[in-house]
Amino acid sequence: VSGDANTDVYVEGLTVQNGVADAGGGVYVVGAAVTLKDCIVQNNTSPIGGGLANQGNASESVTLIGCTFVGNSSLTDSGQGGAVNLYACELAMANCTISGNAARQGGGLYLDGVRAGLSHLTVAFNAVSGTQATGGGIRFASMHTESTMENTLVVKNTSTGSFPNVAGTAPT
């Protein structure tokens, strides 16, 4: 999904599956404001964001509503964000399920420099492995990540390293 600060993209009810890419195995956001509603992102793979990733442009925003991320992976040596990897953007995520994803860091979500509002999520049964394994469920990778999290369940994630559920600066 590519655009500029004036580009709004809305996708509803789409299944994105079996993608392979250098970044964002299922969905890759470049410079646009993207909303995914009631979408399924499954069985995708990439070194950065197995299911979804962005370029890291401050004009980007990602809104995920009622989406399911399952079976995505980012398992290269430095793989980040099995389901979602976002950098330096805005994220609003509500009523989503992130389950059964795998990475080296951030088995479910890997957020770096992101202003995130996380609400009514289930982040469970994701895994991280390897020498830098941390944040089986969620990895907040930067002290500059400003996030709020409410009514969110982060449980039963695993790590061969540290912090099986949440790693990094805790959201308020």
Side-chain angles (χ1 to χ4, degrees), residues 79-164:
Q80 299 170 335
V84 175
N85 179 314
L86 294 175
Y87 176 72
C89 70
E90 301 277 333
L91 169 65
M93 192 171 195
N95 302 312
C96 294
T97 299
I98 300 97
S99 183
N101 302 285
R104 300 296 181 223
Q105 294 186 46
L109 305 175
Y110 184 94
L111 306 176
D112 188 355
V114 174
R115 178 179 291 245
L118 309 175
S119 175
H120 297 89
L121 307 182
T122 299
V123 183
F125 303 105
N126 300 288
V128 291
S129 61
T131 58
Q132 297 181 5
T134 187
I138 303 173
R139 170 76 165 110
F140 294 99
S142 171
M143 290 178 55
H144 302 291
T145 299
E146 298 177 24
S147 299
T148 58
M149 188 163 49
E150 64 181 11
N151 299 319
T152 292
L153 184 63
V154 185
V155 296
K156 300 208 180 264
N157 299 287
T158 60
S159 172
T160 60
S162 59
F163 305 103

Side-chain angles (χ1 to χ4, degrees), residues 41-45 50-51 69-73 82-83 98-102 126:
V41 181
Q42 65 184 11
N43 302 326
N44 301 287
T45 188
F69 290 83
V70 63
N72 300 289
S73 63
I98 300 97
S99 183
N101 302 285
N126 300 288

Side-chain angles (χ1 to χ4, degrees), residues 10-16 35-41 65-67:
Y10 179 87
V11 178
E12 185 172 355
L14 181 70
T15 297
V16 179
T35 298
L36 301 181
K37 182 175 183 203
D38 299 328
C39 291
I40 299 170
V41 181
I65 303 165
C67 293

Side-chain angles (χ1 to χ4, degrees), residues 17-52:
Q17 63 185 8
N18 303 323
V20 177
D22 291 333
V27 179
Y28 186 56
V29 177
V30 179
V34 175
T35 298
L36 301 181
K37 182 175 183 203
D38 299 328
C39 291
I40 299 170
V41 181
Q42 65 184 11
N43 302 326
N44 301 287
T45 188
S46 173
I48 301 170
L52 181 147

